[in-house]
Amino acid sequence: MVFGLMTVIGVTGNSLVIYVIVKHGHMKTATNLYIVSLAITDISFLICCAPFTATTFYSHLWLFGRILCKFVFMMMQVAATATCLTLAAMSVDRYRAIVRPLQSLRSRTIQVALGVNIGIWTDFCHFLFTVSFVTSIPAAFYFDLDGNVCVEVWPSLKAAYGLYMAFALYVFPLTVISACYALMLNKLWRMVLPGDVLNGQNQQHLQQKRRTTRMVMVVVVTFAVCWLPVYVFNLWYRLNEKRFPVNNGMYIFRVVSHILSYGNSCCNPFIYAFMGENFRKHFKKAFPRCFAKNRPRVSSPGRTAATGGC
């Protein structure tokens, strides 16, 4: 039930993000293209992986045959790689837009934005999914059926591959995200000097920076918390397989770690899209009937009445 609910919420939220950005042509910026890619990878991750993971936890057996055993676990690696690299690329894009605005100005003008972003996006997608599939090839080779269980069958380098994946998909992206957002926040907070008088405009600017700071903190903490347990479990198992504890407590930890990793795909659309004021405005335009109750209508001079809802 938990995995099913997460899949429904994640697929719905990410689909709404894609719909709103595609519907409004002027929202097709570099940042929003990264958000679309993130939404696509999150949907793939949830649909291709979450139901199979839930079934395995419930029955303790693999019920879908040898081909899906290889395909599903390879797709887990592909989607996880794409998600983590997209999050890192988004942080670099925001860093350039705020900390290096002049250098990135050419690719953000109205005249060339669409063409440049499509070119950048095509190259980025080619690189992104090439890296994703290459790093995930071992999963297709070394996952296989052992009776009715889908397991890893490594001749060697099992621990080395686990260390590589933990570094490439967790330590490296988290370092890039943290560094870019730290530099971005430093730039934002240096825009107003401590001795400035907080008039109305400066007060509004300060509130905007506080909102940005909160969002950045949510981004970093969510990524770090959601992905840390699954890598801790995987590394613990790969580096200490012979003495790895097999008990109910470890089984619960494994289930919770996978729930958190899928939970990140549910949270991403709310963090990167719905928390943004500009996106919320266009979301209301895309679904006007759902927000009609917030629009007042004049019933008599000096009085207003609310209209019907969604």
Side-chain angles (χ1 to χ4, degrees), residues 88 91 116 121 127 130 137 150 168 189 224 227 242 248 258 275:
S91 64
V116 171
W121 190 240
F127 167 76
T130 298
I137 286 175
C150 186
W189 283 100
W227 284 101
K242 293 183 179 179
N248 290 335
H258 280 82
M275 284 184 68

Side-chain angles (χ1 to χ4, degrees), residues 241-276:
E241 184 175 358
K242 293 183 179 179
R243 292 183 294 176
F244 186 77
V246 181
N247 51 48
N248 290 335
M250 185 55 64
Y251 183 76
I252 293 173
F253 177 70
R254 183 189 177 197
V255 174
V256 172
S257 66
H258 280 82
I259 288 176
L260 286 174
S261 66
Y262 291 122
N264 185 244
S265 296
C266 296
C267 295
N268 282 334
F270 298 97
I271 295 174
Y272 290 95
F274 293 110
M275 284 184 68

Side-chain angles (χ1 to χ4, degrees), residues 232-309:
V232 169
F233 177 88
N234 287 337
L235 282 178
W236 191 355
Y237 174 73
R238 291 171 185 271
L239 297 177
N240 195 29
E241 184 175 358
K242 293 183 179 179
R243 292 183 294 176
F244 186 77
V246 181
N247 51 48
N248 290 335
M250 185 55 64
Y251 183 76
I252 293 173
F253 177 70
R254 183 189 177 197
V255 174
V256 172
S257 66
H258 280 82
I259 288 176
L260 286 174
S261 66
Y262 291 122
N264 185 244
S265 296
C266 296
C267 295
N268 282 334
F270 298 97
I271 295 174
Y272 290 95
F274 293 110
M275 284 184 68
E277 183 177 353
N278 186 47
F279 184 89
R280 290 200 306 269
K281 180 179 68 176
H282 287 91
F283 180 77
K284 292 179 180 180
K285 289 182 179 180
F287 302 96
R289 293 186 60 186
C290 294
F291 300 92
K293 61 182 180 181
N294 297 323
R295 298 179 181 178
R297 64 177 176 83
V298 177
S299 57
S300 62
R303 298 183 179 180
T304 60
T307 61

